[in-house]
Amino acid sequence: MPDKVAPAEKPVQLPNAAPAANNEVKLKKELGLLDGVAIIVGIIVGAGIFVSPKGVLRNSGSVGQALIVWVFSGILSLIGALCYAELGTMIPKSGGDYAYISDAFGPLPAFLYLWVALFVLVPTGNAITALTFAQYILQPAWPGCEPPYAAVRLLAAVITCLLTVINCYNVKWATRVQDIFTGTKIFALIIIMVAGFWWLCTGHTENFESPMAGTNTQPGYIALAIYSGLFSYSGWNYLNFVTEELKDPYKNLPKAICISLPLVTVIYVFANIAYFVVLTQDEILASNAVAVTFGDKLLGVMSWIMPFFVACSTFGALNGAIFASARLFFVGARNGHLPTAIALINVRNLTPMPSLIFLCIITLVLLIIEDVYVLINYVSFVEALFTTLSVSGLLWLRYKKPDLHRPIKVGNIWQFNFLNYVSIILPIIFFVICAFLVTFPCYVSPWEVGVGIIIILSGIPVYCIFIDWKSKPAWLVNGSRKLYSKLVKTIGCT
């Protein structure tokens, strides 16, 4: 593997006074442990647990195996998050996977991740979340039928712009929104769990009489079931995107992970038990929003609270995704892989305003597409592939740079000596499982895998022309400089 590192990060110089020492403008370290937990939980608990548990059930074939997949997905996400805790403290840069792949394997693989994240992974996820929010907010105005898609898209665009403005203006405002809506969605899941437990205590155990009946044992479908479970856990690595803004990241990053992932896993498993107690398999598989179907069947006149809580959940998830993912593009631009203007920081608010605006524009463009949901079928494989590449980078750096400072190692987070041997076993286990998840769906969903690979490879000519080509035409260089100067003057960035 190539022995390369990321391009040196360029500090942004302020011509006059600067808030930071040594005359640099930097992102402020304003995120504490509670904020870190709220970001992880708030992003993970999005629409997935309320809307799409049927994906796990459909590919598992039985209630029993579906619950096993939910537990396994949570444990796998925790192991992955601990791997990322080591990466995040060993390479304390914002940008998450982009920074780790760049340090381990060089600029081209890192750019390909950035390319896919920029145009597919991040804005597609944000667009889907915004559309889900709009769908459930507007649903009461059109009882018994779907709201007009034009109205849904318009409201999705408005809420995307609103949250972008909040994130541009003040980091504290963004984190306060995150804290509030994280609490709201956890409260909604507690209602589901309590209602399901009450239903179970009244003697309704018929849905658990043969929990393993119909279990699907084919490896490809097991992998697809885990994909569906991991989709609802996705976001566990987003705190790594904002490492530079986290107070005392060596302590708060692993603590936030160790609090968040077990909490989310327990909540998800009990929420699914509640779903399975109240709803039959056929009802779950026929539902487009399991939580809403659950509410209609069990909550009576209070069933309206489920669409409301789904909307709150997606609102918080969208805010957290905008906050964290904008830092990815900020770091990519700072390293020369995107236009320099995207690496600017607003002087007054110390937020990556151009990166936030850029992400907002791409998300709005995707909202124009008639069916953005189809893109989800192609990005799951791509996301799993780059997660596998990131954790293989951890193993590669263990071998290539054994003396690199590692404040945290996977498995000895709590500094117990008898856990030291786990520090290499857990990343290997995680790598093997990720490799399984990448490989086996190739024969079950070859079309989706093929399109995902094409999306990745399409970034190579872009890299060769715009990044690796040293003697670029003058018009291209001058255009980038003019955009840079205009942003500096227009929105007060440096």
Side-chain angles (χ1 to χ4, degrees):
M1 296 184 182
D3 183 16
K4 298 180 181 178
V5 295
E9 296 191 357
K10 306 178 183 71
V12 187
Q13 296 296 329
L14 188 64
N16 301 311
N22 68 0
N23 210 36
E24 295 176 9
V25 173
K26 298 180 179 179
L27 299 174
K28 293 175 68 176
K29 288 185 177 291
E30 292 191 314
L31 305 179
L33 177 60
L34 179 60
D35 295 322
V37 172
I39 287 173
I40 296 175
V41 175
I43 294 175
I44 292 177
V45 184
I49 187 61
F50 296 103
V51 178
S52 58
K54 70 176 183 180
V56 176
L57 180 61
R58 181 174 57 246
N59 291 299
S60 297
S62 69
V63 169
Q65 181 154 295
L67 290 175
I68 293 172
V69 167
W70 280 106
V71 174
F72 178 80
S73 298
I75 294 172
L76 183 61
S77 297
L78 177 59
I79 296 173
L82 293 177
C83 290
Y84 274 60
E86 176 176 333
L87 285 166
T89 53
M90 178 176 62
I91 306 171
K93 305 172 186 176
S94 291
D97 297 76
Y98 168 76
Y100 313 144
I101 293 171
S102 186
D103 272 37
F105 303 124
L108 177 56
F111 174 80
L112 293 179
Y113 171 77
L114 187 68
W115 170 257
V116 175
L118 178 64
F119 290 107
V120 182
L121 291 178
V122 172
T124 296
N126 289 356
I128 295 293
T129 305
L131 287 169
T132 305
F133 168 83
Q135 178 82 25
Y136 284 95
I137 282 292
L138 294 175
Q139 186 62 61
W142 280 271
C145 63
E146 294 288 327
Y149 193 58
V152 171
R153 282 193 289 185
L154 177 61
L155 181 56
V158 170
I159 202 63
T160 299
C161 293
L162 173 62
L163 287 174
T164 298
V165 170
I166 292 174
N167 277 272
C168 285
Y169 185 74
N170 193 295
V171 170
K172 280 294 184 184
W173 281 21
T175 55
R176 289 295 172 268
V177 169
Q178 194 65 23
D179 295 345
I180 292 170
F181 281 91
T182 296
T184 302
K185 64 184 73 177
I186 296 301
F187 179 67
L189 288 169
I190 290 174
I191 291 177
I192 290 173
M193 289 185 285
V194 170
F197 180 74
W198 171 82
W199 189 255
L200 183 65
C201 290
T202 58
H204 293 86
T205 60
E206 57 275 10
N207 294 340
F208 281 92
E209 290 178 357
S210 302
M212 303 303 292
T215 297
N216 195 337
T217 57
Q218 295 183 44
Y221 286 99
I222 292 174
L224 290 177
I226 295 172
Y227 267 161
S228 298
L230 291 176
F231 175 76
S232 291
Y233 283 98
S234 61
W236 49 262
N237 59 331
Y238 268 52
L239 190 60
N240 292 63
F241 288 176
V242 296
T243 305
E244 294 176 33
E245 295 169 84
L246 192 63
K247 299 174 184 176
D248 198 359
Y250 294 161
K251 290 183 179 180
N252 286 334
L253 180 60
K255 281 183 180 180
I257 288 169
C258 291
I259 293 172
S260 304
L261 268 300
L263 175 64
V264 171
T265 301
V266 170
I267 290 173
Y268 273 16
V269 171
F270 279 99
N272 274 277
I273 290 174
Y275 290 146
F276 293 141
V277 166
V278 174
L279 304 174
T280 65
Q281 291 192 44
D282 291 338
E283 287 174 324
I284 292 174
L285 294 175
S287 174
N288 290 322
V290 176
V292 176
T293 304
F294 177 94
D296 290 341
K297 185 170 182 177
L298 203 61
L299 300 182
V301 294
M302 294 299 293
S303 61
W304 61 268
I305 66 174
M306 278 300 120
F308 172 75
F309 279 131
V310 172
C312 290
S313 177
T314 51
F315 186 89
L318 180 60
N319 177 70
I322 290 172
F323 177 85
S325 55
R327 273 65 178 172
L328 166 63
F329 306 131
F330 167 79
V331 174
R334 189 172 61 184
N335 287 346
H337 284 173
L338 289 174
T340 309
I342 298 176
L344 291 171
I345 299 174
N346 181 265
V347 177
R348 180 187 301 172
N349 303 320
L350 297 180
T351 58
M353 187 178 291
S355 179
L356 287 159
I357 295 172
F358 185 60
L359 173 61
C360 179
I361 291 171
I362 297 176
T363 304
L364 294 178
V365 170
L366 285 179
L367 286 172
I368 298 173
I369 298 174
E370 188 64 31
D371 187 11
V372 293
Y373 292 91
V374 73
L375 293 175
I376 289 294
N377 297 328
Y378 304 123
V379 301
S380 296
F381 165 80
V382 175
E383 194 165 15
L385 179 61
F386 279 107
T387 300
T388 305
L389 189 60
S390 292
V391 77
S392 66
L394 184 152
L395 296 171
W396 173 245
L397 290 173
R398 288 273 192 98
Y399 168 75
K400 188 68 177 179
K401 298 180 180 180
D403 297 326
L404 196 64
H405 179 55
R406 292 174 172 83
I408 294 170
K409 274 192 176 183
V410 184
N412 63 348
I413 297 293
W414 297 275
Q415 304 300 318
F416 295 146
N417 291 331
F418 69 89
L419 288 175
N420 286 344
Y421 74 95
V422 184
S423 67
I424 190 64
I425 293 176
L426 286 181
I428 292 174
I429 292 174
F430 186 72
F431 172 77
V432 170
I433 294 173
C434 286
F436 161 78
L437 293 176
V438 169
T439 303
F440 276 92
C442 291
Y443 74 89
V444 176
S445 306
W447 174 255
E448 285 80 359
V449 171
V451 171
I453 292 174
I454 290 172
I455 292 172
I456 295 172
L457 295 181
S458 67
I460 294 179
V462 177
Y463 177 84
C464 293
I465 294 172
F466 292 98
I467 309 299
D468 200 44
W469 187 17
K470 302 305 179 186
S471 53
K472 297 181 182 67
W475 64 267
L476 187 59
V477 177
N478 292 335
S480 179
R481 288 174 179 169
K482 287 179 181 178
L483 176 61
Y484 182 93
S485 300
K486 191 168 186 63
L487 282 174
V488 168
K489 295 176 182 178
T490 304
I491 58 178
C493 292
T494 187

